[in-house]
Amino acid sequence: MLHLIKQCLRIAATSLLAFPVLVAGREGAQASPVSVGKEIQAQVHLKVNNYYVLFTAPDVSYIDANNRLMLPLRAVGELLGADVNYDAKLHSATVSLAKHQVELTLNANTALYDGTIVKLDTMPVMKQGQFFIPAKVLLNGLHIKAEYEESLLSISIPDGSERRSITQRLNEFGEFQTVGHFRPLYFKMNLPPAGSKDKRISLTFVAKNVSGNDLPAGTEDFHTADVTIGGYGFSDPVPERSREAVPAGSTYEVNRTLYASEGSLKYILVSE
């Protein structure tokens, strides 16, 4: 069980609903809906710019049997701002960012980096109807800056990318500031059953004080960003909350209720 402690993180994008797939015509096979009426539990393995990625539909990033971090293809396109093309018949994907391109095929132990054949130690796989690719292949092939520490991959995408990512678009609003005191470690969420009139989504995540200092009691500040086909909407429906003191290195639990609107839940991002 998670240990209940209140927190002061800011949810930067708690529910990203019905965001258009970057290449919907070619990547339509990747847009599997998230399962409903079930509990999802997972570690937090990915951070893009200022945002920790808690949830991606229909499945989250994970570490495979070879101790390699696997990323969902669609999230690569939308969260990193890459141009993604998926051929459902050939089970192959092409990912382009800036001047570089990576080509991968399902269950193949080779890839193409800008046309050059490269041997892989972990192959792309299909999981929950979604194409997953090894993070190492993506980073090396696209020359992406990243750090990997304690099972967390932190990716930095410059603002000058040709195709803006979700995180870059959120940054344009200036609503979310990064302090760097806390890191989400893992989460669990319960989705409402199919056809239920109750649209509440129960979310719990555990965060660790990584500031190196004991943090005194303060204010808990959450903001919500809904991303829909029509655009972005920000709201802060919950009154200001207080937070208990959090010693250096300690963890605490956050419990929140999200409200699903029309469309499919695609991401849960958290920014302090």
Side-chain angles (χ1 to χ4, degrees):
M1 286 295 293
L2 305 175
H3 300 288
L4 177 59
I5 311 174
K6 293 186 178 179
Q7 60 78 54
C8 72
L9 286 183
R10 174 178 299 174
I11 287 186
T14 49
S15 55
L16 306 187
L17 304 169
F19 191 85
V21 178
L22 295 180
V23 280
R26 298 184 181 180
E27 201 182 271
Q30 299 301 306
S32 302
V34 61
S35 299
V36 295
K38 74 171 189 177
E39 181 178 273
I40 299 171
Q41 298 187 51
Q43 288 183 284
V44 180
H45 291 300
L46 181 63
K47 181 182 181 183
V48 180
N49 291 341
N50 300 333
Y51 303 93
Y52 292 91
V53 183
L54 270 64
F55 172 78
T56 59
D59 212 342
V60 298
S61 57
Y62 67 96
I63 296 177
D64 70 3
N66 296 320
N67 201 32
R68 299 290 188 269
L69 178 61
M70 304 294 289
L71 303 177
L73 176 63
R74 186 180 63 212
V76 168
E78 295 178 345
L79 297 179
L80 304 186
D83 187 2
V84 176
N85 293 291
Y86 178 73
D87 190 318
K89 292 183 179 180
L90 298 177
H91 299 295
S92 63
T94 301
V95 184
S96 304
L97 184 66
K99 299 179 180 180
H100 301 288
Q101 185 178 85
V102 174
E103 298 176 55
L104 305 112
T105 302
L106 182 67
N107 297 325
N109 63 356
T110 60
L112 292 177
Y113 289 178
D114 295 328
T116 301
I117 298 178
V118 177
K119 184 82 170 180
L120 305 180
D121 58 5
T122 297
M123 300 181 293
V125 298
M126 193 70 72
K127 184 182 180 186
Q128 288 280 77
Q130 187 168 180
F131 196 87
F132 275 76
I133 60 179
K136 180 181 178 181
V137 174
L138 184 73
L139 300 178
N140 291 344
L142 298 180
H143 299 262
I144 295 175
K145 293 182 179 181
E147 296 180 356
Y148 189 73
E149 185 177 0
E150 296 182 356
S151 299
L152 179 71
L153 177 66
S154 300
I155 299 176
S156 300
I157 302 298
D159 291 336
S161 299
E162 294 180 6
R163 186 185 296 273
R164 292 181 302 160
S165 67
I166 289 176
T167 57
Q168 290 168 337
R169 294 177 184 182
L170 289 174
N171 282 341
E172 292 175 1
F173 289 92
E175 293 281 338
F176 312 112
Q177 304 297 321
T178 300
V179 179
H181 289 162
F182 299 98
R183 171 195 164 182
L185 299 178
Y186 53 95
F187 78 96
K188 69 176 181 179
M189 60 186 291
N190 291 90
L191 300 171
S196 173
K197 294 183 179 180
D198 187 351
K199 300 300 182 181
R200 290 176 295 181
I201 299 173
S202 174
L203 171 67
T204 298
F205 66 92
V206 167
K208 180 180 180 180
N209 176 0
V210 294
S211 68
N213 301 307
D214 294 340
L215 297 175
T219 300
E220 180 181 274
D221 188 10
F222 276 82
H223 292 268
T224 303
D226 293 340
V227 180
T228 65
I229 292 177
Y232 299 79
F234 295 94
S235 62
D236 191 10
V238 182
E240 184 177 280
R241 303 180 179 93
S242 60
R243 171 185 55 78
E244 298 176 357
V246 183
S250 296
T251 60
Y252 58 90
E253 181 180 282
V254 184
N255 291 283
R256 285 293 172 270
T257 298
L258 313 180
Y259 293 88
S261 58
E262 295 182 2
S264 298
L265 176 67
K266 294 184 70 174
Y267 300 103
I268 295 178
L269 310 181
V270 172
S271 179
E272 181 190 347

